[in-house]
Structure formats: structure tokens, C-alpha cells
Amino acid sequence: MKYPPTRTVDIVADVAGIAVPDPYRWLEEETPEVRDWQRAQADLAASVIFDGVDRDAVRELVLAFDTGARPDPPRYAAGRWFRAVGTDVVVSGTPYGDGRRIASLGEGVPSWLAPSPDGSVLAAGICDDGSEHNTIRLFDTATGRELDGAPTQVLHSAWVGGVSWLPDGSGFYFFALTGPPEEFRQAVFLHRLGAGTTLEPVPVGTSREYTLIQTSDRWEVAAHRVGAPFPIAVRRVGGTWRPFLTDSPGTIAGHIVGDRYVAVTDVDAPRGRVVAISLDDPSDWTELVPEGDTVLRSLTPVGDHLYLSEFDATFARVRILDRAGAVVGEVPLPGRGALSSPFFPLTALAVGNPAPSYVFAFSTPTTSWAVHAHRFGAPLETLVPPAVTLDATVEVGEAIASDGVPIPYHLISGRADASDAPQPSNPPVLVSAYGAAGVPLLPAYQADLAAFVAAGGAVVQAYLRGGGEFGRDWWMAAHRERKQVRDADLVAVAEHLIDTGRAAPGGLALTGGSDGGLMCGVAATTRPDLWRAVLPRAPLLDLIGGTRDPYLEFVLRKAWGDPDDPADVRRFLTLSPYELIRDGAFPALYIQAGANDPRCRPWHARKFAARLQAAQRGAAPILVHVFEDAGHGAATGHDVAVEQDTEWLAFLLRSFGLRI
């Protein structure tokens, strides 16, 4: 393989007194030289991947399974429902009625929609470069006219749901950057319609952590911390903010119900319980739903009830509580699958205006996203049926980790009618996993994985420790000083698949995104013998370099350790894929990144690919493609995402000799 020329530099970083050579440091810059190198690498990747693979046929397969792949239930206000249809916003009297067009969002991707409580003004967050950085636009819903005077601050992401309207509709709170995005400094702002924007003095100290303001007619609550939120401050409407719970050992994520904060918490209950906390007295807790066998995830207010979302061995369950906290019913879900929900508990608190029915998206690993509505005492209503059904089966299994802990997985296998070409007798298996940050990987529809199964492959979705599928203890088992547990769990799953004949030797591939991309990098460099192909997406790959990036430094301190502590830095070196590379034979790698990714910047992919290309002593290709107008995924435009999936899938097909 003839790779584009890549120079090295004699740079040694000093991190907490530890000397770390960094020969590809120059690839962190955004210079003409780096961009030329990046384009040359992208051209090489495409030329190799599509050599003998029909690009158009692969794209058609991707598009066939992309329908219904991105759930986006409408938002409610004052008897009307608001939703994005392409680049337009439509309002209708029913969730998916024909309605009328009230605004055009232009070329950008809508990150979120938030109608005011009376439905007269629509706030929308628009991102135009895939980065997730979005700005607020305001529209008069009666005329469609865009309103002047919208806040100018940039929101780093949609992780607090955009804006939190005041109950009277006179304005809203929002959480935004206070300086350039690369500095990653954020604060709460209050915007009054027609009166401008001011900083809101919520007592959260100098933390960069996310904060979401929740409002009611009598109370306002500041929910603080994205992965494990808790009510850090409260005030009566018109009063002064006062500290409430100044710290919490776990999650306390809830809503204002009268004069109480009703929340799901894992404090003293690793799988979660429901409590009510007096907003006048933070020491006054009442348990409403005790800890049980399921993992409690979130509450959603609907009329006079609270809908409680749970995980039952990863599969969704929804029970219904009255406002006193008594369980009064259960939603009859249409199968064993997953609800569409945010990655982080804080985001799930941004429910907007309480709706008269519980509207939710639901899918299974073999059926695409549908949207349903439920009213207490009434049957389940299907608003949008699933558009795709994959001809496949789902097997529940488990591998045993080195310390004896069972690691669950789902095996999705079968053959759709997408291909009549001869296929290998033992289908190749793609392992998809994450296992980090308490984020649950759920048995939901993923279009790219479904397309691979349709092409003759099989998918194993592995639920590694570090994720949020089985509660706080499962998360903490691979957190900070125990991060290596996640990587050992992955090896246990891979070896189990081969030992049990579910995969042939040389028949495994691996994919994961973000921190899951780091998992891929560790797997490729420490156990290259296990994998035919490894496909990191939007990956974190250089922990030491991450200490110089304000956003990643924030993430490292939360989930990995202290970049100022030499002992922690030495541990980073044992877990950072860029630092783990040594000369050897590696599996085929296809590293995919976005040029505008603010979380795992594209230099992670560039540096890792360059170092691995130089170290490769085997015959398999090491390819990298940084896509323009793409970010971490959430705000990447549809057309760009289709091209990313097409190249990703084509690399898998090529690696295993599959034909479509």
C-alpha cells in the first residue's frame, strides 16, 4: 500500500512531568499542508474501498435501510404540534397532520425545536456545518415571520434541549458558550422577548458542566451535570437562587411537581428508585417507587401522570405513575426493543411543554423507528408505523469476562432479499459496542448495521461495562481507574463468539464511535489477531493530546483521571491507542471522522492513521477519511451521513468479500 507521504517531527510533550514523544503533532493543526494530506488520504480510501465494489449498489442498500432511521417526534404547545419536514417547520392540530408551513430553516440542520407555551413563538436551533454548534432563531408562528432580536450566543450542542421557556412565554433560559467554541466555557442566559439577553446568576461555581433550567408556575430548578444530573439550585419564581443539593454522589433527574421535585435517582439504589424531594427542604425525601429488578431511566410528565422509562435486561419498559407516585399502569409496547431517548439523563429533562399524550418513538433491532402515542386508560395508538423490517432474528447471549461477570449481547443474523449473490457459509460478524460514560447502548434499529445484515453479515451488539444499560454499578465498574475493564469485556465477547462457533477465526470485525472509537483503537493495537477489520467512527484516539483540548480535558477529568497527576497520566499512556502503536501486523482499518467535530477533533483520526500506516508490517490497508461538513454525528446533514455510511459499509463488504 502506497500511502501519502507523511513527515514526522521531533516533539516531546511534557504532561504532568511525563515526557511523551509526539512525532505526528503537526497533524493537529488546520494548515494547507494538513488539508492536502487529509484530501490525499480520503482519495486513497475511496480508491481502495471501491476497487471491485459497486458504489451505487452499496448506496442504494444504505438508502433502503435509512428510511425511518432517525426518529424525531413532534413538539407540543397549546393544542398544536410542531415538527421539522425537511428544511421546513410544519404546525398541525394532530402530531402528524398535514398542517401548514410556518418557517423555513434554510440549509442548516435543526438541532432542536421549542415552541412557546402558548404556541405563538417557535425557537429553533440551527447548525449549518455539522459541528453541533447552533444558534437560536425565533419565528412568529401565525405569520412565519422570523423575529429580530434573537440571542447571538452560540450553543455548543443540544444537550440541554435548546431553550427552557418561562411559563408565561415572555422569554426563556438557555445554556450557551461565553467565548469561542474551542475554549469551551459555558453559562446560563435569560432572554426576554423584545428586551435582550442577560447572564443568569445560577450558583454553580466555575464548572464547565452543563446546566438546564426547569420551570413551573411557582418554582425554578437548575439541574446540573450532564451524565448524572442533580438539582443544584432552586428559587421561587421572582425570588433569588439558593443552593439546593450542592453535590450528589449520583443521579437525581426529575421534574417539578407542585412543591416537590419528583426524580429518578441511583443514590442508595444502583438500579434506580423514584423519590420526591421537598423544594423547601432538600433533606426531606420520600421514596415513591423502590429499587427493583429493572433499571429506572427517566420520568416524563403527561397530564396528571408521570411516565417512567425503564430497562428490563436492556429492553424498554414504561410504567405509569399518578402524581402521588403510585404505579397505576403500564404502556403496552409493540415489542422487545428500545425507546428513542437522549444519551444523557440531563437532556431527557428537556421535555418542553407537557403534552396531553405520551408520544414516543420505538424500534427493535429488526424494525425501524415508529412513533406511538398513549393516553392513560386508552389503547396504544400508532402515529407512524415502522418503514423497514429486516429479515433477521435476534438471539440473546452472554460471554463470561475474565473476572467471571456475564457480559450480555444480542446477535442479529439472517438474510434479507437484498442480495442473490453467493455468500460465505459462515457469515462474518460485526461487533458493535460502546461501554463508556454511563451511556446505554440499546436494542434499537441502526440503519448501517441493518444494511450489513441485509448484505449477508451478522451483528453482535455487546453491552460492555462502563455503559448505562444495567445501572450505576455497571457504569462504575469500568469508570476512571477501571477503564481497562471495558476493553477486557470486549475481548471476552470476541473470544466467546469464536469459541462457540458463532464467528469463524478471521471472521470478526469491530466498530464503535466516539469513546467507542477509542475502544476500537485499543482493540486493534493490543489484540490485532482477533479482528479482520476495525472501523472507528468520530473517534477519540489520543488521550495525551486530549489534555490540550479544553473540551476533552473536561471529559478526561470526569471519566478518566487527573491530567495533572503523573500516575493518572501514566495510566492514560496504557489506554491511549495513539501511544499503544508498535510495529506489527494490524487488521484492516477504516477510520472515519468529521472535519467539524468539536468533541473528537479530526486530528485524532489523522495522527492515529499516520502512526499506524508507518507501523503496519502486514498487508491490510490502514485508511482514513475525514469528511467535510461533518461533525460528531448528531448534526451531520443527511446527504453527508449517507455518503459516510456508504463508504463504511463498502469497506466492510470488501474486507469480507461480500457481494450485493
Side-chain angles (χ1 to χ4, degrees):
M1 182 68 61
K2 186 175 177 60
Y3 297 110
T6 307
R7 64 184 176 89
T8 59
V9 293
D10 186 17
I11 290 179
V12 178
D14 183 317
V15 185
I18 309 297
V20 184
D22 193 356
Y24 297 97
R25 177 78 164 266
W26 66 277
L27 286 170
E28 291 186 13
E29 304 299 324
E30 297 294 338
T31 64
E33 179 188 15
V34 170
R35 286 190 286 272
D36 288 345
W37 183 92
Q38 183 170 283
R39 281 191 291 269
Q41 291 282 357
D43 291 343
L44 173 66
S47 69
V48 171
I49 290 169
F50 294 110
D51 182 13
V53 176
D54 187 332
R55 182 196 292 260
D56 291 338
V58 178
R59 184 186 292 109
E60 288 178 10
L61 183 60
V62 167
L63 288 170
F65 287 90
D66 184 69
T67 305
R70 294 169 181 81
D72 190 17
R75 307 291 278 185
Y76 177 81
R80 295 180 292 172
W81 297 85
F82 299 75
R83 70 187 191 274
V85 180
T87 60
D88 293 336
V89 177
V90 171
V91 61
S92 56
T94 59
Y96 288 93
D98 291 338
R100 63 180 176 86
R101 173 184 173 278
I102 60 169
S104 174
L105 303 179
E107 297 300 318
V109 174
S111 297
W112 49 268
L113 300 177
S116 62
D118 65 1
S120 65
V121 177
L122 174 72
I126 309 299
C127 173
D128 59 9
D129 63 359
S131 67
E132 298 180 51
H133 298 150
N134 62 94
T135 53
I136 299 171
R137 294 171 64 184
L138 301 174
F139 299 91
D140 182 295
T141 61
T143 65
R145 178 175 62 88
E146 184 163 0
L147 301 176
D148 295 330
T152 58
Q153 288 79 9
V154 174
L155 283 64
H156 191 268
S157 63
W159 283 3
V160 296
V163 306
S164 299
W165 282 94
L166 299 174
D168 64 3
S170 64
F172 50 78
Y173 294 104
F174 66 99
F175 192 67
L177 295 162
T178 60
E182 58 272 15
E183 294 181 2
F184 190 61
R185 297 194 309 269
Q186 303 184 100
V188 176
F189 293 86
L190 173 62
H191 178 79
R192 296 278 187 180
L193 297 180
T197 304
T198 56
L199 278 167
E200 181 65 21
V202 182
V204 295
T206 58
S207 171
R208 288 173 168 169
E209 266 288 7
Y210 285 77
T211 302
L212 165 67
I213 305 300
Q214 301 172 280
T215 64
S216 76
D217 290 337
R218 296 199 297 270
W219 290 95
E220 294 177 338
V221 172
H224 183 64
R225 207 164 57 190
V226 67
F230 64 99
I232 196 171
V234 303
R235 71 174 175 185
R236 288 189 179 272
V237 170
T240 301
W241 288 106
R242 59 179 171 83
F244 193 63
L245 302 178
T246 56
D247 196 8
S248 171
T251 298
I252 307 170
H255 300 277
I256 303 168
V257 178
D259 291 320
R260 302 192 299 177
Y261 193 70
V262 179
V264 169
T265 181
D266 56 18
V267 175
D268 299 326
R271 291 184 301 278
R273 58 191 175 120
V274 178
V275 299
I277 307 172
S278 167
L279 289 170
D280 285 309
D281 180 2
S283 67
D284 181 2
W285 290 43
T286 302
E287 183 173 272
L288 303 179
V289 179
E291 182 179 32
D293 294 333
T294 61
V295 174
L296 308 190
R297 186 65 179 177
S298 65
L299 286 164
T300 302
V302 180
D304 293 328
H305 295 90
L306 295 167
Y307 281 62
L308 175 60
S309 172
E310 309 171 45
F311 302 152
D312 183 0
T314 75
F315 293 104
R317 180 189 187 193
V318 182
R319 286 186 286 173
I320 308 167
L321 314 181
D322 63 22
R323 288 302 175 106
V327 177
V328 294
E330 184 167 339
V331 177
L333 297 177
R336 284 169 63 80
L339 304 181
S340 172
S341 60
F343 291 135
F344 296 112
L346 182 71
T347 315
L349 302 184
V351 294
N353 304 303
S357 59
Y358 179 58
V359 176
F360 64 98
F362 180 87
S363 76
T364 75
T366 60
T367 56
S368 64
W369 290 98
V371 181
H372 306 275
H374 185 266
R375 290 176 184 260
F376 180 67
L380 186 69
E381 180 183 1
T382 298
L383 304 177
V384 178
V388 175
T389 299
L390 176 66
D391 183 13
T393 60
V394 179
E395 174 189 344
V396 178
E398 64 181 26
I400 304 301
S402 57
D403 58 359
V405 174
I407 308 301
Y409 65 83
H410 292 147
L411 171 62
I412 304 130
S413 59
R415 179 166 171 168
D417 298 329
S419 173
D420 294 322
Q423 306 292 349
S425 57
N426 196 350
V429 176
L430 172 66
V431 177
S432 174
Y434 186 70
V439 172
L441 189 66
L442 298 177
Y445 183 78
Q446 293 184 190
D448 49 0
L449 304 185
F452 179 63
V453 174
V459 167
V460 164
Q461 186 153 289
Y463 304 104
L464 312 180
R465 281 176 285 184
E469 302 90 351
F470 297 98
R472 187 172 184 83
D473 286 350
W474 193 257
W475 170 16
M476 292 294 111
H479 186 62
R480 291 181 72 84
E481 291 80 6
R482 296 183 55 80
K483 290 288 279 188
Q484 77 284 353
V485 169
R486 185 261 305 266
D487 303 308
D489 285 356
L490 175 66
V491 169
V493 170
E495 292 180 336
H496 163 84
L497 294 172
I498 295 171
D499 292 344
T500 58
R502 290 172 171 82
L508 282 177
L510 174 66
T511 194
S514 193
D515 201 327
L518 186 141
M519 173 199 70
C520 289
V522 171
T525 53
T526 62
R527 288 300 306 271
D529 57 300
L530 284 175
W531 314 103
R532 171 71 66 86
V534 178
L535 297 89
R537 306 187 82 171
L540 167 64
L541 292 164
D542 178 4
L543 295 180
I544 300 301
T547 65
R548 298 187 295 272
D549 178 277
Y551 176 80
L552 281 181
E553 196 261 359
F554 160 76
V555 172
L556 289 172
R557 288 186 183 277
K558 283 169 61 70
W560 293 83
D562 183 354
D564 299 321
D565 183 334
D568 280 357
V569 172
R570 291 189 187 96
R571 183 163 48 81
F572 292 175
L573 291 172
T574 69
L575 298 167
S576 177
Y578 177 66
E579 307 302 334
L580 291 172
I581 296 172
R582 303 291 185 271
D583 290 355
F586 299 98
L589 265 93
Y590 171 65
I591 309 156
Q592 190 177 88
N596 298 326
D597 189 337
R599 305 191 185 283
C600 299
R601 297 185 185 275
W603 54 258
H604 286 271
R606 293 192 295 245
K607 290 175 66 178
F608 183 73
R611 202 169 201 172
L612 202 60
Q613 287 173 352
Q616 175 66 298
R617 298 297 178 263
I622 309 296
L623 306 175
V624 59
H625 189 162
V626 177
F627 281 76
E628 304 297 329
D629 296 322
H632 206 58
T636 298
H638 178 260
D639 291 347
V640 176
V642 166
E643 292 309 310
Q644 289 180 311
D645 285 354
T646 297
E647 197 164 282
W648 176 91
L649 179 59
F651 179 82
L652 264 179
L653 300 180
R654 178 190 184 279
S655 297
F656 286 115
L658 292 175
R659 297 289 182 266
I660 58 173

